[in-house]
Amino acid sequence: MNVFERALSGVEHRRDRTRVRRDGFDHFTLQYLRSGTFHGGALDAERRLAPGDVILFDLTRPQRTRLESARTVTVSLSRELVEAAAPEAGRYHGQVLPEAVSGLLGDLIGSLARRAATTTPDTAGSTARALTELLAGALGQVRPDDEATGGIIADLRRRRAEAFIEARLNDPTLDVATVARGAALSRSALYRLFEPTGGVAQHILARRLERLGAALRNPVETRSITTLTFDHGFASESHCSRAFRSTFGLPPGRYRAEMRVPRAGARGEPPAGESAARLLTAWSRALD
């Protein structure tokens, strides 16, 4: 068990997956906030602590902390010791333990900081075990950030990013960095949110194509293909044409003609090309 007290201001500490692998740490830490401002938690899920709060970190997982005029006490504990008392402690990574459930734990941490110089190896072992027992009791009163909660948070973040994208689709300079800033997310968090659907750039392209397709199907839309291309955020007409054809099977001009001009066959049946166009229209409208 290691215990140390610090006064820090204007300090941010970030450990992503690469840093975690490089460090190779395998222990837990408890950070007790005496005073000041402390934001911390799992990476991209940070929370603000109030004085008296304790936060638990599993050093095998990414995290971030930011401190302003803060006085903290940090206790490092071995994984073996913690998991002997609280086998599922890792589920509480980044969890803030409010003073209401961790009062005794905070008191003990504060006392350890004051008496660190007089603690002997014999008393350190028994104190560490007592600390982990108090931690286990506090965790038993707090619901962990489980996968369902994490899924809800991720969904809300993705929706926030999508709303930002929708409002700026016609801007040809819209890119990953812009979306990350606008949605208040790190680029790595943004990549993770959109990874299942091909990435942020692919999402932007798909939405632009869907909007352009809707405009081309609109019988009262009179703007030229070139104007529509740039009005929908494409940087060039050639890029737009290639992407549109890859998605809809036709270049924009022919697509507009096929969607807007009904043609009858000899017996009143649509010709072969018309049937395909109608199927394509139905599919396209389902995307709107």
Side-chain angles (χ1 to χ4, degrees), residues 162-171 204-218 221 223 228 231-232 234 244 248 287-288:
E162 288 178 349
F164 182 85
I165 291 170
E166 287 296 310
R168 293 161 180 79
L169 270 178
N170 62 348
D171 181 357
I204 293 172
L205 175 61
R207 289 298 299 134
R208 283 173 173 163
L209 290 171
E210 289 165 14
R211 281 194 178 184
L212 177 58
L216 294 173
R217 294 191 300 274
N218 186 352
E221 175 58 71
R223 284 175 290 177
L228 286 170
D231 284 353
H232 283 80
F234 291 95
F244 193 93
F248 292 95
L287 297 175
D288 294 345

PDB file of all heavy atoms in Angstrom, residues 162-171 204-218 221 223 228 231-232 234 244 248 287-288:
ATOM      1  N   GLU A 162     -24.481  13.069 -34.290  1.00  0.00           N
ATOM      2  CA  GLU A 162     -25.287  13.028 -35.511  1.00  0.00           C
ATOM      3  C   GLU A 162     -26.058  14.331 -35.712  1.00  0.00           C
ATOM      4  O   GLU A 162     -26.193  14.814 -36.842  1.00  0.00           O
ATOM      5  CB  GLU A 162     -26.248  11.845 -35.457  1.00  0.00           C
ATOM      6  CG  GLU A 162     -25.574  10.493 -35.627  1.00  0.00           C
ATOM      7  CD  GLU A 162     -26.550   9.344 -35.527  1.00  0.00           C
ATOM      8  OE1 GLU A 162     -27.720   9.587 -35.126  1.00  0.00           O
ATOM      9  OE2 GLU A 162     -26.173   8.197 -35.837  1.00  0.00           O
ATOM     10  N   ALA A 163     -26.577  14.900 -34.620  1.00  0.00           N
ATOM     11  CA  ALA A 163     -27.306  16.164 -34.726  1.00  0.00           C
ATOM     12  C   ALA A 163     -26.380  17.278 -35.205  1.00  0.00           C
ATOM     13  O   ALA A 163     -26.769  18.124 -36.036  1.00  0.00           O
ATOM     14  CB  ALA A 163     -27.919  16.522 -33.378  1.00  0.00           C
ATOM     15  N   PHE A 164     -25.154  17.282 -34.704  1.00  0.00           N
ATOM     16  CA  PHE A 164     -24.183  18.285 -35.146  1.00  0.00           C
ATOM     17  C   PHE A 164     -23.886  18.115 -36.641  1.00  0.00           C
ATOM     18  O   PHE A 164     -23.824  19.089 -37.393  1.00  0.00           O
ATOM     19  CB  PHE A 164     -22.893  18.148 -34.338  1.00  0.00           C
ATOM     20  CG  PHE A 164     -21.841  19.161 -34.685  1.00  0.00           C
ATOM     21  CD1 PHE A 164     -21.836  20.417 -34.092  1.00  0.00           C
ATOM     22  CD2 PHE A 164     -20.853  18.868 -35.624  1.00  0.00           C
ATOM     23  CE1 PHE A 164     -20.879  21.355 -34.423  1.00  0.00           C
ATOM     24  CE2 PHE A 164     -19.895  19.810 -35.963  1.00  0.00           C
ATOM     25  CZ  PHE A 164     -19.900  21.058 -35.359  1.00  0.00           C
ATOM     26  N   ILE A 165     -23.724  16.859 -37.059  1.00  0.00           N
ATOM     27  CA  ILE A 165     -23.442  16.577 -38.479  1.00  0.00           C
ATOM     28  C   ILE A 165     -24.604  17.019 -39.356  1.00  0.00           C
ATOM     29  O   ILE A 165     -24.405  17.658 -40.397  1.00  0.00           O
ATOM     30  CB  ILE A 165     -23.149  15.077 -38.668  1.00  0.00           C
ATOM     31  CG1 ILE A 165     -21.811  14.710 -38.025  1.00  0.00           C
ATOM     32  CG2 ILE A 165     -23.152  14.703 -40.153  1.00  0.00           C
ATOM     33  CD1 ILE A 165     -21.548  13.221 -37.953  1.00  0.00           C
ATOM     34  N   GLU A 166     -25.834  16.676 -38.950  1.00  0.00           N
ATOM     35  CA  GLU A 166     -27.005  17.016 -39.765  1.00  0.00           C
ATOM     36  C   GLU A 166     -27.118  18.515 -39.990  1.00  0.00           C
ATOM     37  O   GLU A 166     -27.502  18.965 -41.072  1.00  0.00           O
ATOM     38  CB  GLU A 166     -28.281  16.508 -39.076  1.00  0.00           C
ATOM     39  CG  GLU A 166     -28.464  15.007 -39.129  1.00  0.00           C
ATOM     40  CD  GLU A 166     -28.630  14.499 -40.543  1.00  0.00           C
ATOM     41  OE1 GLU A 166     -29.467  15.054 -41.284  1.00  0.00           O
ATOM     42  OE2 GLU A 166     -27.917  13.557 -40.911  1.00  0.00           O
ATOM     43  N   ALA A 167     -26.781  19.301 -38.968  1.00  0.00           N
ATOM     44  CA  ALA A 167     -26.907  20.755 -39.076  1.00  0.00           C
ATOM     45  C   ALA A 167     -25.849  21.367 -39.987  1.00  0.00           C
ATOM     46  O   ALA A 167     -25.984  22.527 -40.403  1.00  0.00           O
ATOM     47  CB  ALA A 167     -26.823  21.389 -37.686  1.00  0.00           C
ATOM     48  N   ARG A 168     -24.807  20.586 -40.331  1.00  0.00           N
ATOM     49  CA  ARG A 168     -23.686  21.148 -41.107  1.00  0.00           C
ATOM     50  C   ARG A 168     -23.318  20.304 -42.322  1.00  0.00           C
ATOM     51  O   ARG A 168     -22.209  20.393 -42.828  1.00  0.00           O
ATOM     52  CB  ARG A 168     -22.462  21.300 -40.177  1.00  0.00           C
ATOM     53  CG  ARG A 168     -22.691  22.345 -39.099  1.00  0.00           C
ATOM     54  CD  ARG A 168     -21.738  22.185 -37.945  1.00  0.00           C
ATOM     55  NE  ARG A 168     -21.977  23.203 -36.922  1.00  0.00           N
ATOM     56  CZ  ARG A 168     -22.956  23.137 -36.023  1.00  0.00           C
ATOM     57  NH1 ARG A 168     -23.758  22.080 -36.006  1.00  0.00           N
ATOM     58  NH2 ARG A 168     -23.126  24.104 -35.143  1.00  0.00           N
ATOM     59  N   LEU A 169     -24.250  19.498 -42.800  1.00  0.00           N
ATOM     60  CA  LEU A 169     -23.948  18.614 -43.931  1.00  0.00           C
ATOM     61  C   LEU A 169     -23.566  19.376 -45.194  1.00  0.00           C
ATOM     62  O   LEU A 169     -22.801  18.869 -46.020  1.00  0.00           O
ATOM     63  CB  LEU A 169     -25.150  17.707 -44.229  1.00  0.00           C
ATOM     64  CG  LEU A 169     -25.204  16.367 -43.502  1.00  0.00           C
ATOM     65  CD1 LEU A 169     -26.479  15.637 -43.888  1.00  0.00           C
ATOM     66  CD2 LEU A 169     -23.991  15.513 -43.833  1.00  0.00           C
ATOM     67  N   ASN A 170     -24.091  20.580 -45.368  1.00  0.00           N
ATOM     68  CA  ASN A 170     -23.789  21.325 -46.593  1.00  0.00           C
ATOM     69  C   ASN A 170     -22.456  22.054 -46.546  1.00  0.00           C
ATOM     70  O   ASN A 170     -22.075  22.735 -47.506  1.00  0.00           O
ATOM     71  CB  ASN A 170     -24.907  22.332 -46.888  1.00  0.00           C
ATOM     72  CG  ASN A 170     -25.056  23.369 -45.786  1.00  0.00           C
ATOM     73  OD1 ASN A 170     -24.494  23.227 -44.708  1.00  0.00           O
ATOM     74  ND2 ASN A 170     -25.827  24.414 -46.070  1.00  0.00           N
ATOM     75  N   ASP A 171     -21.717  21.887 -45.432  1.00  0.00           N
ATOM     76  CA  ASP A 171     -20.399  22.514 -45.305  1.00  0.00           C
ATOM     77  C   ASP A 171     -19.327  21.538 -45.801  1.00  0.00           C
ATOM     78  O   ASP A 171     -19.100  20.493 -45.191  1.00  0.00           O
ATOM     79  CB  ASP A 171     -20.143  22.868 -43.837  1.00  0.00           C
ATOM     80  CG  ASP A 171     -18.793  23.549 -43.623  1.00  0.00           C
ATOM     81  OD1 ASP A 171     -18.032  23.703 -44.601  1.00  0.00           O
ATOM     82  OD2 ASP A 171     -18.500  23.915 -42.472  1.00  0.00           O
ATOM     83  N   ILE A 204     -20.992  10.768 -42.793  1.00  0.00           N
ATOM     84  CA  ILE A 204     -21.220  12.074 -43.429  1.00  0.00           C
ATOM     85  C   ILE A 204     -21.530  11.887 -44.911  1.00  0.00           C
ATOM     86  O   ILE A 204     -22.476  12.479 -45.450  1.00  0.00           O
ATOM     87  CB  ILE A 204     -19.991  12.984 -43.244  1.00  0.00           C
ATOM     88  CG1 ILE A 204     -19.821  13.345 -41.763  1.00  0.00           C
ATOM     89  CG2 ILE A 204     -20.112  14.246 -44.094  1.00  0.00           C
ATOM     90  CD1 ILE A 204     -18.526  14.084 -41.450  1.00  0.00           C
ATOM     91  N   LEU A 205     -20.742  11.045 -45.586  1.00  0.00           N
ATOM     92  CA  LEU A 205     -20.968  10.809 -47.013  1.00  0.00           C
ATOM     93  C   LEU A 205     -22.336  10.182 -47.254  1.00  0.00           C
ATOM     94  O   LEU A 205     -23.075  10.604 -48.164  1.00  0.00           O
ATOM     95  CB  LEU A 205     -19.869   9.881 -47.554  1.00  0.00           C
ATOM     96  CG  LEU A 205     -20.018   9.443 -49.017  1.00  0.00           C
ATOM     97  CD1 LEU A 205     -20.000  10.659 -49.946  1.00  0.00           C
ATOM     98  CD2 LEU A 205     -18.918   8.455 -49.388  1.00  0.00           C
ATOM     99  N   ALA A 206     -22.701   9.192 -46.452  1.00  0.00           N
ATOM    100  CA  ALA A 206     -23.992   8.517 -46.639  1.00  0.00           C
ATOM    101  C   ALA A 206     -25.153   9.483 -46.457  1.00  0.00           C
ATOM    102  O   ALA A 206     -26.122   9.451 -47.223  1.00  0.00           O
ATOM    103  CB  ALA A 206     -24.107   7.352 -45.658  1.00  0.00           C
ATOM    104  N   ARG A 207     -25.073  10.362 -45.459  1.00  0.00           N
ATOM    105  CA  ARG A 207     -26.165  11.315 -45.243  1.00  0.00           C
ATOM    106  C   ARG A 207     -26.244  12.340 -46.361  1.00  0.00           C
ATOM    107  O   ARG A 207     -27.340  12.746 -46.768  1.00  0.00           O
ATOM    108  CB  ARG A 207     -25.967  12.014 -43.886  1.00  0.00           C
ATOM    109  CG  ARG A 207     -26.217  11.125 -42.696  1.00  0.00           C
ATOM    110  CD  ARG A 207     -27.683  10.626 -42.675  1.00  0.00           C
ATOM    111  NE  ARG A 207     -28.601  11.749 -42.587  1.00  0.00           N
ATOM    112  CZ  ARG A 207     -29.687  11.879 -43.349  1.00  0.00           C
ATOM    113  NH1 ARG A 207     -29.978  10.971 -44.275  1.00  0.00           N
ATOM    114  NH2 ARG A 207     -30.476  12.927 -43.191  1.00  0.00           N
ATOM    115  N   ARG A 208     -25.103  12.765 -46.881  1.00  0.00           N
ATOM    116  CA  ARG A 208     -25.132  13.698 -48.015  1.00  0.00           C
ATOM    117  C   ARG A 208     -25.772  13.051 -49.237  1.00  0.00           C
ATOM    118  O   ARG A 208     -26.578  13.666 -49.948  1.00  0.00           O
ATOM    119  CB  ARG A 208     -23.713  14.164 -48.332  1.00  0.00           C
ATOM    120  CG  ARG A 208     -23.181  15.214 -47.358  1.00  0.00           C
ATOM    121  CD  ARG A 208     -21.729  15.527 -47.611  1.00  0.00           C
ATOM    122  NE  ARG A 208     -21.274  16.639 -46.783  1.00  0.00           N
ATOM    123  CZ  ARG A 208     -20.010  16.928 -46.536  1.00  0.00           C
ATOM    124  NH1 ARG A 208     -19.040  16.157 -47.051  1.00  0.00           N
ATOM    125  NH2 ARG A 208     -19.686  17.957 -45.775  1.00  0.00           N
ATOM    126  N   LEU A 209     -25.423  11.802 -49.489  1.00  0.00           N
ATOM    127  CA  LEU A 209     -25.996  11.089 -50.632  1.00  0.00           C
ATOM    128  C   LEU A 209     -27.494  10.883 -50.457  1.00  0.00           C
ATOM    129  O   LEU A 209     -28.263  11.008 -51.420  1.00  0.00           O
ATOM    130  CB  LEU A 209     -25.289   9.741 -50.810  1.00  0.00           C
ATOM    131  CG  LEU A 209     -23.841   9.803 -51.286  1.00  0.00           C
ATOM    132  CD1 LEU A 209     -23.201   8.424 -51.208  1.00  0.00           C
ATOM    133  CD2 LEU A 209     -23.762  10.351 -52.717  1.00  0.00           C
ATOM    134  N   GLU A 210     -27.931  10.574 -49.253  1.00  0.00           N
ATOM    135  CA  GLU A 210     -29.360  10.386 -49.005  1.00  0.00           C
ATOM    136  C   GLU A 210     -30.123  11.682 -49.246  1.00  0.00           C
ATOM    137  O   GLU A 210     -31.208  11.683 -49.846  1.00  0.00           O
ATOM    138  CB  GLU A 210     -29.580   9.885 -47.580  1.00  0.00           C
ATOM    139  CG  GLU A 210     -29.129   8.447 -47.377  1.00  0.00           C
ATOM    140  CD  GLU A 210     -29.009   8.066 -45.914  1.00  0.00           C
ATOM    141  OE1 GLU A 210     -29.525   8.834 -45.065  1.00  0.00           O
ATOM    142  OE2 GLU A 210     -28.401   7.025 -45.614  1.00  0.00           O
ATOM    143  N   ARG A 211     -29.576  12.806 -48.771  1.00  0.00           N
ATOM    144  CA  ARG A 211     -30.229  14.092 -48.990  1.00  0.00           C
ATOM    145  C   ARG A 211     -30.247  14.468 -50.466  1.00  0.00           C
ATOM    146  O   ARG A 211     -31.253  14.980 -50.976  1.00  0.00           O
ATOM    147  CB  ARG A 211     -29.510  15.177 -48.183  1.00  0.00           C
ATOM    148  CG  ARG A 211     -29.864  15.199 -46.711  1.00  0.00           C
ATOM    149  CD  ARG A 211     -29.380  16.507 -46.105  1.00  0.00           C
ATOM    150  NE  ARG A 211     -29.708  16.631 -44.709  1.00  0.00           N
ATOM    151  CZ  ARG A 211     -29.455  17.723 -43.994  1.00  0.00           C
ATOM    152  NH1 ARG A 211     -28.880  18.770 -44.570  1.00  0.00           N
ATOM    153  NH2 ARG A 211     -29.786  17.779 -42.715  1.00  0.00           N
ATOM    154  N   LEU A 212     -29.135  14.214 -51.141  1.00  0.00           N
ATOM    155  CA  LEU A 212     -29.081  14.522 -52.568  1.00  0.00           C
ATOM    156  C   LEU A 212     -30.078  13.660 -53.335  1.00  0.00           C
ATOM    157  O   LEU A 212     -30.782  14.160 -54.229  1.00  0.00           O
ATOM    158  CB  LEU A 212     -27.664  14.292 -53.099  1.00  0.00           C
ATOM    159  CG  LEU A 212     -27.462  14.503 -54.610  1.00  0.00           C
ATOM    160  CD1 LEU A 212     -27.871  15.919 -55.023  1.00  0.00           C
ATOM    161  CD2 LEU A 212     -26.012  14.227 -54.993  1.00  0.00           C
ATOM    162  N   GLY A 213     -30.157  12.374 -52.992  1.00  0.00           N
ATOM    163  CA  GLY A 213     -31.124  11.503 -53.655  1.00  0.00           C
ATOM    164  C   GLY A 213     -32.546  11.997 -53.466  1.00  0.00           C
ATOM    165  O   GLY A 213     -33.352  11.979 -54.404  1.00  0.00           O
ATOM    166  N   ALA A 214     -32.880  12.452 -52.273  1.00  0.00           N
ATOM    167  CA  ALA A 214     -34.219  12.975 -52.011  1.00  0.00           C
ATOM    168  C   ALA A 214     -34.493  14.218 -52.852  1.00  0.00           C
ATOM    169  O   ALA A 214     -35.600  14.401 -53.378  1.00  0.00           O
ATOM    170  CB  ALA A 214     -34.372  13.296 -50.527  1.00  0.00           C
ATOM    171  N   ALA A 215     -33.480  15.076 -52.997  1.00  0.00           N
ATOM    172  CA  ALA A 215     -33.647  16.282 -53.811  1.00  0.00           C
ATOM    173  C   ALA A 215     -33.867  15.919 -55.281  1.00  0.00           C
ATOM    174  O   ALA A 215     -34.702  16.518 -55.966  1.00  0.00           O
ATOM    175  CB  ALA A 215     -32.433  17.182 -53.670  1.00  0.00           C
ATOM    176  N   LEU A 216     -33.144  14.947 -55.773  1.00  0.00           N
ATOM    177  CA  LEU A 216     -33.284  14.540 -57.170  1.00  0.00           C
ATOM    178  C   LEU A 216     -34.638  13.894 -57.456  1.00  0.00           C
ATOM    179  O   LEU A 216     -35.149  13.959 -58.579  1.00  0.00           O
ATOM    180  CB  LEU A 216     -32.158  13.574 -57.546  1.00  0.00           C
ATOM    181  CG  LEU A 216     -30.741  14.164 -57.547  1.00  0.00           C
ATOM    182  CD1 LEU A 216     -29.709  13.071 -57.770  1.00  0.00           C
ATOM    183  CD2 LEU A 216     -30.613  15.253 -58.618  1.00  0.00           C
ATOM    184  N   ARG A 217     -35.233  13.272 -56.449  1.00  0.00           N
ATOM    185  CA  ARG A 217     -36.553  12.670 -56.627  1.00  0.00           C
ATOM    186  C   ARG A 217     -37.683  13.685 -56.495  1.00  0.00           C
ATOM    187  O   ARG A 217     -38.830  13.394 -56.855  1.00  0.00           O
ATOM    188  CB  ARG A 217     -36.760  11.555 -55.588  1.00  0.00           C
ATOM    189  CG  ARG A 217     -35.854  10.370 -55.764  1.00  0.00           C
ATOM    190  CD  ARG A 217     -36.279   9.205 -54.881  1.00  0.00           C
ATOM    191  NE  ARG A 217     -36.275   9.514 -53.465  1.00  0.00           N
ATOM    192  CZ  ARG A 217     -35.209   9.407 -52.680  1.00  0.00           C
ATOM    193  NH1 ARG A 217     -34.033   9.019 -53.190  1.00  0.00           N
ATOM    194  NH2 ARG A 217     -35.286   9.675 -51.392  1.00  0.00           N
ATOM    195  N   ASN A 218     -37.369  14.841 -55.931  1.00  0.00           N
ATOM    196  CA  ASN A 218     -38.385  15.866 -55.692  1.00  0.00           C
ATOM    197  C   ASN A 218     -38.794  16.517 -57.014  1.00  0.00           C
ATOM    198  O   ASN A 218     -37.977  17.182 -57.664  1.00  0.00           O
ATOM    199  CB  ASN A 218     -37.831  16.918 -54.738  1.00  0.00           C
ATOM    200  CG  ASN A 218     -38.865  17.936 -54.326  1.00  0.00           C
ATOM    201  OD1 ASN A 218     -39.978  17.976 -54.844  1.00  0.00           O
ATOM    202  ND2 ASN A 218     -38.496  18.777 -53.369  1.00  0.00           N
ATOM    203  N   GLU A 221     -37.984  20.304 -57.441  1.00  0.00           N
ATOM    204  CA  GLU A 221     -36.603  20.764 -57.311  1.00  0.00           C
ATOM    205  C   GLU A 221     -36.055  21.099 -58.697  1.00  0.00           C
ATOM    206  O   GLU A 221     -36.011  20.254 -59.591  1.00  0.00           O
ATOM    207  CB  GLU A 221     -35.756  19.672 -56.654  1.00  0.00           C
ATOM    208  CG  GLU A 221     -34.278  19.988 -56.570  1.00  0.00           C
ATOM    209  CD  GLU A 221     -33.991  21.268 -55.804  1.00  0.00           C
ATOM    210  OE1 GLU A 221     -34.162  21.265 -54.576  1.00  0.00           O
ATOM    211  OE2 GLU A 221     -33.625  22.270 -56.464  1.00  0.00           O
ATOM    212  N   ARG A 223     -32.984  23.035 -59.226  1.00  0.00           N
ATOM    213  CA  ARG A 223     -31.557  23.338 -59.274  1.00  0.00           C
ATOM    214  C   ARG A 223     -30.818  22.325 -60.141  1.00  0.00           C
ATOM    215  O   ARG A 223     -31.206  21.160 -60.238  1.00  0.00           O
ATOM    216  CB  ARG A 223     -30.954  23.347 -57.874  1.00  0.00           C
ATOM    217  CG  ARG A 223     -31.276  24.580 -57.054  1.00  0.00           C
ATOM    218  CD  ARG A 223     -30.752  24.455 -55.629  1.00  0.00           C
ATOM    219  NE  ARG A 223     -31.506  23.452 -54.849  1.00  0.00           N
ATOM    220  CZ  ARG A 223     -31.211  23.104 -53.606  1.00  0.00           C
ATOM    221  NH1 ARG A 223     -30.149  23.662 -52.999  1.00  0.00           N
ATOM    222  NH2 ARG A 223     -31.941  22.200 -52.977  1.00  0.00           N
ATOM    223  N   LEU A 228     -26.739  21.387 -57.040  1.00  0.00           N
ATOM    224  CA  LEU A 228     -27.125  20.472 -55.974  1.00  0.00           C
ATOM    225  C   LEU A 228     -25.912  19.787 -55.354  1.00  0.00           C
ATOM    226  O   LEU A 228     -25.859  19.563 -54.141  1.00  0.00           O
ATOM    227  CB  LEU A 228     -28.096  19.414 -56.512  1.00  0.00           C
ATOM    228  CG  LEU A 228     -29.523  19.893 -56.797  1.00  0.00           C
ATOM    229  CD1 LEU A 228     -30.298  18.810 -57.542  1.00  0.00           C
ATOM    230  CD2 LEU A 228     -30.232  20.244 -55.485  1.00  0.00           C
ATOM    231  N   ASP A 231     -24.302  22.341 -53.107  1.00  0.00           N
ATOM    232  CA  ASP A 231     -25.224  22.713 -52.032  1.00  0.00           C
ATOM    233  C   ASP A 231     -25.369  21.605 -50.993  1.00  0.00           C
ATOM    234  O   ASP A 231     -25.818  21.857 -49.872  1.00  0.00           O
ATOM    235  CB  ASP A 231     -26.603  23.054 -52.603  1.00  0.00           C
ATOM    236  CG  ASP A 231     -26.637  24.422 -53.274  1.00  0.00           C
ATOM    237  OD1 ASP A 231     -25.636  25.156 -53.174  1.00  0.00           O
ATOM    238  OD2 ASP A 231     -27.663  24.756 -53.905  1.00  0.00           O
ATOM    239  N   HIS A 232     -25.005  20.390 -51.354  1.00  0.00           N
ATOM    240  CA  HIS A 232     -25.095  19.278 -50.415  1.00  0.00           C
ATOM    241  C   HIS A 232     -23.740  18.927 -49.793  1.00  0.00           C
ATOM    242  O   HIS A 232     -23.574  17.864 -49.201  1.00  0.00           O
ATOM    243  CB  HIS A 232     -25.713  18.052 -51.083  1.00  0.00           C
ATOM    244  CG  HIS A 232     -27.200  18.153 -51.234  1.00  0.00           C
ATOM    245  ND1 HIS A 232     -27.792  18.873 -52.249  1.00  0.00           N
ATOM    246  CD2 HIS A 232     -28.218  17.656 -50.465  1.00  0.00           C
ATOM    247  CE1 HIS A 232     -29.110  18.802 -52.126  1.00  0.00           C
ATOM    248  NE2 HIS A 232     -29.395  18.078 -51.047  1.00  0.00           N
ATOM    249  N   PHE A 234     -20.614  18.503 -51.175  1.00  0.00           N
ATOM    250  CA  PHE A 234     -19.567  17.776 -51.893  1.00  0.00           C
ATOM    251  C   PHE A 234     -18.519  18.758 -52.404  1.00  0.00           C
ATOM    252  O   PHE A 234     -18.835  19.846 -52.878  1.00  0.00           O
ATOM    253  CB  PHE A 234     -20.164  16.989 -53.063  1.00  0.00           C
ATOM    254  CG  PHE A 234     -21.015  15.832 -52.618  1.00  0.00           C
ATOM    255  CD1 PHE A 234     -22.392  15.974 -52.491  1.00  0.00           C
ATOM    256  CD2 PHE A 234     -20.434  14.607 -52.322  1.00  0.00           C
ATOM    257  CE1 PHE A 234     -23.183  14.911 -52.072  1.00  0.00           C
ATOM    258  CE2 PHE A 234     -21.211  13.542 -51.904  1.00  0.00           C
ATOM    259  CZ  PHE A 234     -22.586  13.695 -51.772  1.00  0.00           C
ATOM    260  N   PHE A 244     -22.250   8.691 -55.749  1.00  0.00           N
ATOM    261  CA  PHE A 244     -23.686   8.516 -55.956  1.00  0.00           C
ATOM    262  C   PHE A 244     -23.957   7.252 -56.780  1.00  0.00           C
ATOM    263  O   PHE A 244     -24.847   6.459 -56.449  1.00  0.00           O
ATOM    264  CB  PHE A 244     -24.255   9.743 -56.675  1.00  0.00           C
ATOM    265  CG  PHE A 244     -25.752   9.797 -56.666  1.00  0.00           C
ATOM    266  CD1 PHE A 244     -26.429  10.486 -55.669  1.00  0.00           C
ATOM    267  CD2 PHE A 244     -26.496   9.158 -57.651  1.00  0.00           C
ATOM    268  CE1 PHE A 244     -27.817  10.529 -55.653  1.00  0.00           C
ATOM    269  CE2 PHE A 244     -27.881   9.196 -57.642  1.00  0.00           C
ATOM    270  CZ  PHE A 244     -28.549   9.892 -56.634  1.00  0.00           C
ATOM    271  N   PHE A 248     -26.367   4.335 -55.581  1.00  0.00           N
ATOM    272  CA  PHE A 248     -27.690   4.229 -56.202  1.00  0.00           C
ATOM    273  C   PHE A 248     -27.692   3.481 -57.537  1.00  0.00           C
ATOM    274  O   PHE A 248     -28.758   3.210 -58.090  1.00  0.00           O
ATOM    275  CB  PHE A 248     -28.284   5.627 -56.406  1.00  0.00           C
ATOM    276  CG  PHE A 248     -28.635   6.311 -55.110  1.00  0.00           C
ATOM    277  CD1 PHE A 248     -27.746   7.185 -54.505  1.00  0.00           C
ATOM    278  CD2 PHE A 248     -29.851   6.089 -54.493  1.00  0.00           C
ATOM    279  CE1 PHE A 248     -28.067   7.829 -53.313  1.00  0.00           C
ATOM    280  CE2 PHE A 248     -30.184   6.721 -53.304  1.00  0.00           C
ATOM    281  CZ  PHE A 248     -29.287   7.591 -52.714  1.00  0.00           C
ATOM    282  N   LEU A 287     -34.946   5.211 -47.045  1.00  0.00           N
ATOM    283  CA  LEU A 287     -33.798   5.767 -46.343  1.00  0.00           C
ATOM    284  C   LEU A 287     -34.062   7.172 -45.823  1.00  0.00           C
ATOM    285  O   LEU A 287     -33.328   7.669 -44.981  1.00  0.00           O
ATOM    286  CB  LEU A 287     -32.569   5.808 -47.276  1.00  0.00           C
ATOM    287  CG  LEU A 287     -32.053   4.455 -47.771  1.00  0.00           C
ATOM    288  CD1 LEU A 287     -30.933   4.686 -48.775  1.00  0.00           C
ATOM    289  CD2 LEU A 287     -31.576   3.609 -46.618  1.00  0.00           C
ATOM    290  N   ASP A 288     -35.068   7.861 -46.334  1.00  0.00           N
ATOM    291  CA  ASP A 288     -35.312   9.273 -45.976  1.00  0.00           C
ATOM    292  C   ASP A 288     -35.751   9.405 -44.533  1.00  0.00           C
ATOM    293  O   ASP A 288     -36.453   8.554 -44.011  1.00  0.00           O
ATOM    294  CB  ASP A 288     -36.374   9.874 -46.894  1.00  0.00           C
ATOM    295  CG  ASP A 288     -35.865   9.967 -48.346  1.00  0.00           C
ATOM    296  OD1 ASP A 288     -34.637   9.828 -48.534  1.00  0.00           O
ATOM    297  OD2 ASP A 288     -36.686  10.153 -49.257  1.00  0.00           O
TER     298      ASP A 288
END
